Amino acid sequence: MIFLTNLINGLSLGSVYAIIALGYTMVYGISKMLNFAHGDVIMVGAYISFCGTSYLGLPAWVSVVLAMAVCTALGIIIEGLAYRPLRGTGSLAVLITAIGVSYFLQNAALLIWGSAPKVFTSVFSGMGSSIRLFDGGLTVTWEAVFTLLIAILIMILMTMFTTRTKMGKAMRAVSEDNGAARLMGINVNSTISMTFAIGSALAAVAGVLLCSAYPALMPTTGAMPGIKAFTAAVFGGIGSIPGAMLGGILIGVIEVFGRAYISTELSDTIVFGVLIIVLLVKPTGLLGKKITEKV
Amino acid sequence: MKKITSKGLSPYRKNEIISYGIAILGFAVISVLRSLGMVSSSLQGQLVPICAYVIMAVSLNLVVGISGELSLGHAGFMSVGAYTGIVVSGIMGTMGAADPVRFFAAVIAGALAAGVAGFLIGIPVLRLRGDYLAIVTLAFGEIIKNIMNIVYAGIDENGFHISTKSDYGLSAEGRMLLNGPMGATQVDRISTFFYGFILVMVTLFVVQNILNSRQGRAIMACRDNRIASESIGLNVMKNKLMAFTVSSALAGMGGVLFGLNYSTLLPIKFNFNTSILILVFVVLGGLGNIWGSMIAAIVLTVLPEALRQFADYRMLVYAVVLIVVMIATYNPAIRSRVSAFAEKYLRRKKPDAAPAEGGAD
């Protein structure tokens, strides 16, 4: 039973990582940059939702929509102001700018909301207490169930979006070959903005789900999940949407099992250790495409 | 091609002189100001960390700028050096060695330990490319930090103890050196600004001599075109591994200097943010530009203190400065305008100061 509980917790944490990793992987695919500020967008999303429910008294779902809207706008603004001027100058310059944006968001949050952790009320608290199965032998929280379901739903929607819609196809075209896409009449700027918008909206969802399960909300809340999700995106093969999903869920499960069965202090070490071994065996990640180098 | 016939110094030599000059001038000015009592106490406290960060930045530049591999785990090697140095210094302290002997023994031990760690990590890691290499170095940095979190060590009359458990049987008279998540405690603060200056000079000497050698040119050739260098018979892996190992050893040295400057040192100090901070120095100073790294390390370490008048807003201002400086330095439109301006008003043909774009693309 403990095994099942751990598995469910792992899947649920992994789903959050997967949703964050989707944002990473989409942005990476389209602009070849590591958006280190992504973890902090999660934090902003969680704070907005927190403010919506606690200060404005909005219903939970309205606060989530509000958080998504704010983060979408934030994503577009960040891309336009900080990343667009540096497009095509090599990924290191943009990486440092992204770090600057990350510092900015963390410190802005520190000024607005203070450093004391806020207790986040779960958006599923209206659903009543957790589900009990096997005469109370197995307790599953609503957070875990919904996180998993929402992650699956997002995965399906994203796959449909990128394969069926015009915008989604444009995104894939731009990530494949920026210049050729431009020649085909695709508006590269708006496509990249759109990618940031979607990634940031997903980050808001992830932030709300993360804080529903782990209620302490601080300006640094997004940092570690951000790094883990980045790891997850690489683990699954960066640039690949199913890869991000798979990588996220595996990282979550490994982390929870490592914590439960091996060592609490070393759970991160185990996660990163597995990542290293996978990358050494399969250097492009689990579902990554192999790129042959041409002279 | 060794002899530069045009007037003046070769660019290598010029950069070397500038960086040694910055170090010596900085040391001299600060020493004079200190003897006149004109250095504020907050700056006093930052002198050794500044030296340590300069060492970290210059050594990371060897990997990121010169070898062209993005490393996000430099703080990990710093912590290996710091904790090795603290342990060695602690053991020698109980044996009653003099401070300079302790310090330099600790530096050598720290550099060796970090160099070995860099070598072992480099063998598998350098097989990867670009962003994958970045993520694996990040992972190693985090792993080193987590391992430091569970290491306990102490010394008593029964000798030296090291363990992963907090109750490892240290006698009451024993001296605790490493205390797991609480980090190193009761460290003798034997780092001084003068030692820091010596280590900066050693770092500059090592890195610049590599740069201006056959080996260094081979490393840069591997960065610029891997396939071409392989086809003229360069061993890419060996060259990159050498740069990585030397860089780690120097980072270990910086770590010892840093670690022996505080009475307590938490493992969390060497997390991902510290690695990133050092990377910021390198990129902002210009990839491959040694004195640029030095200036960036100095300015960005002093800047948060200097921004103290903005009180709560200082880190926000720091972030904005970082973004604006990055855009101003790297945006093609702004850069061409700046160089046009320089040409027009300074009436001097400026050589293209474009920083080398190696690394993660």
Side-chain angles (χ1 to χ4, degrees):
Chain A
M1 281 310 142
I2 296 171
F3 175 82
L4 268 181
T5 313
N6 282 327
L7 182 66
I8 290 166
N9 285 340
L11 286 175
S12 149
L13 180 65
S15 307
V16 175
Y17 289 156
I19 299 172
I20 308 170
L22 268 181
Y24 262 115
T25 227
M26 283 168 60
V27 165
Y28 181 87
I30 204 152
S31 58
K32 300 288 171 287
M33 69 164 287
L34 302 175
N35 182 12
F36 268 114
H38 198 68
D40 302 292
V41 177
I42 300 167
M43 172 272 297
V44 173
Y47 268 115
I48 299 292
S49 164
F50 171 81
C51 288
T53 47
S54 302
Y55 299 154
L56 304 176
L58 298 174
W61 68 271
V62 179
S63 78
V64 176
V65 173
L66 182 70
M68 286 173 73
V70 171
C71 284
T72 305
L74 188 67
I76 294 173
I77 294 170
I78 290 174
E79 195 273 329
L81 284 184
Y83 303 155
R84 189 171 297 176
L86 292 173
R87 197 175 295 156
T89 55
S91 59
L92 258 185
V94 201
L95 178 77
I96 303 295
T97 314
I99 290 161
V101 173
S102 161
Y103 283 166
F104 182 85
L105 292 179
Q106 282 187 19
N107 287 291
L110 191 68
L111 282 177
I112 300 172
W113 291 291
S115 58
K118 303 258 189 264
V119 182
F120 192 92
T121 337
S122 165
V123 286
F124 308 111
S125 56
M127 311 278 303
S129 58
S130 45
I131 315 162
R132 293 179 168 273
L133 297 170
F134 306 111
D135 294 331
L138 177 66
T139 320
V140 183
T141 58
W142 283 110
E143 283 83 8
V145 176
F146 274 96
T147 306
L148 196 57
L149 289 178
I150 290 172
I152 293 170
L153 181 70
I154 287 177
M155 161 100 189
I156 294 169
L157 286 178
M158 284 315 297
T159 312
M160 278 167 65
F161 174 74
T162 48
T163 49
R164 303 274 172 83
T165 64
K166 212 167 180 181
M167 197 52 171
K169 285 177 186 167
M171 264 177 206
R172 285 194 296 148
V174 173
S175 64
E176 199 127 303
D177 190 333
N178 193 325
R182 196 183 301 258
L183 290 176
M184 293 299 116
I186 293 171
N187 186 339
V188 173
N189 275 341
S190 66
T191 310
I192 293 183
S193 290
M194 188 68 185
T195 313
F196 273 86
I198 294 175
S200 306
L202 291 181
V205 175
V208 171
L209 291 175
L210 182 74
C211 289
S212 294
Y214 303 88
L217 176 57
M218 286 181 285
T220 51
T221 293
M224 202 56 200
I227 295 176
K228 293 267 181 62
F230 170 40
T231 314
V234 176
F235 194 65
I238 198 156
S240 146
I241 288 177
M245 221 57 200
L246 180 67
I249 286 177
L250 282 177
I251 294 271
V253 171
I254 294 170
E255 185 182 333
V256 170
F257 275 103
R259 198 183 295 149
Y261 294 111
I262 304 176
S263 157
T264 319
E265 291 102 339
L266 290 182
S267 71
D268 288 354
T269 305
I270 296 161
V271 169
F272 290 125
V274 172
L275 168 85
I276 291 169
I277 294 167
V278 167
L279 283 188
L280 291 178
V281 177
K282 203 165 179 313
T284 49
L286 291 174
L287 301 180
K289 270 180 281 180
K290 191 168 162 46
I291 302 158
T292 37
E293 205 173 338
K294 277 176 257 166
V295 180
Chain B
M1 289 296 285
K2 203 114 193 228
K3 206 148 200 159
I4 306 291
T5 41
S6 66
K7 60 183 182 308
L9 298 153
S10 75
Y12 275 128
R13 198 51 76 191
K14 206 166 137 193
N15 282 332
E16 262 179 36
I17 291 172
I18 295 177
S19 38
Y20 287 129
I22 292 171
I24 294 171
L25 194 72
F27 178 70
V29 169
I30 293 288
S31 300
V32 169
L33 287 179
R34 264 175 120 184
S35 62
L36 296 174
M38 284 167 69
V39 178
S40 69
S41 62
S42 74
L43 185 61
Q44 283 276 22
Q46 282 188 306
L47 291 175
V48 174
I50 287 175
C51 290
Y53 283 131
V54 166
I55 295 171
M56 297 305 295
V58 172
S59 60
L60 184 63
N61 207 337
L62 186 60
V63 171
V64 180
I66 293 153
S67 172
E69 301 290 358
L70 179 56
S71 167
L72 297 178
H74 211 48
F77 299 114
M78 191 181 181
S79 77
V80 170
Y83 287 116
T84 311
I86 286 170
V87 167
V88 168
S89 150
I91 292 174
M92 291 185 72
T94 54
M95 297 191 309
D99 278 0
V101 179
R102 276 171 80 184
F103 182 79
F104 286 101
V107 165
I108 292 167
L112 274 179
V116 169
F119 180 74
L120 293 179
I121 291 171
I123 292 173
V125 164
L126 291 170
R127 285 176 45 206
L128 300 168
R129 310 267 173 91
D131 296 323
Y132 291 97
L133 185 121
I135 185 81
V136 172
T137 50
L138 187 162
F140 268 115
E142 291 295 307
I143 288 178
I144 291 175
K145 185 194 81 188
N146 281 323
I147 290 176
M148 289 303 170
N149 253 324
I150 58 158
V151 174
Y152 296 83
I155 185 164
D156 58 15
E157 64 278 2
N158 302 323
F160 178 64
H161 302 266
I162 188 158
S163 166
T164 57
K165 299 272 184 301
S166 53
D167 48 339
Y168 51 94
L170 186 72
S171 69
E173 297 82 53
R175 182 190 159 108
M176 188 137 63
L177 295 169
L178 300 180
N179 189 18
M182 308 303 293
T185 46
Q186 310 167 26
V187 181
D188 294 324
R189 302 177 55 186
I190 55 175
S191 288
T192 64
F193 182 44
F194 178 62
Y195 295 159
F197 167 70
I198 293 176
L199 295 187
V200 168
M201 292 301 275
V202 169
T203 308
L204 290 177
F205 182 78
V206 170
V207 173
Q208 306 204 105
N209 276 297
I210 289 179
L211 254 179
N212 195 11
S213 70
R214 190 186 166 83
Q215 192 80 48
R217 285 186 287 272
I219 293 171
M220 285 184 271
C222 298
R223 168 196 73 191
D224 292 337
N225 195 326
R226 190 184 179 112
I227 294 173
S229 350
E230 265 171 353
S231 59
I232 58 163
L234 288 177
N235 186 338
V236 174
M237 181 66 195
K238 197 183 109 199
N239 282 308
K240 288 196 183 290
L241 188 60
M242 185 226 164
F244 197 76
T245 309
V246 171
S247 160
S248 314
L250 292 173
M253 207 168 81
V256 176
L257 178 69
F258 190 85
L260 292 175
N261 186 45
Y262 298 100
S263 51
T264 53
L265 190 64
L266 298 176
I268 196 115
K269 179 72 202 138
F270 302 105
N271 62 5
F272 175 64
N273 285 335
T274 308
S275 297
I276 287 294
L277 185 72
I278 301 162
L279 183 67
V280 169
F281 298 154
V282 174
V283 177
L284 208 56
L287 292 174
N289 184 338
I290 303 297
W291 59 268
S293 298
M294 295 174 71
I295 299 279
I298 296 169
V299 171
L300 289 187
T301 313
V302 177
L303 188 65
E305 278 310 301
L307 291 174
R308 204 155 271 267
Q309 50 170 319
F310 293 100
D312 294 343
Y313 295 93
R314 69 187 176 120
M315 285 314 288
L316 206 62
V317 176
Y318 177 91
V320 173
V321 169
L322 186 62
I323 298 170
V324 169
V325 170
M326 284 313 293
I327 293 177
T329 353
Y330 283 89
N331 183 289
I334 296 178
R335 229 164 68 186
S336 65
R337 210 164 285 175
V338 168
S339 57
F341 178 86
E343 231 168 276
K344 196 170 171 191
Y345 292 99
L346 303 179
R347 301 202 170 280
R348 189 162 68 104
K349 204 168 179 310
K350 248 188 113 184
D352 189 15
E357 282 296 344
D361 27 24

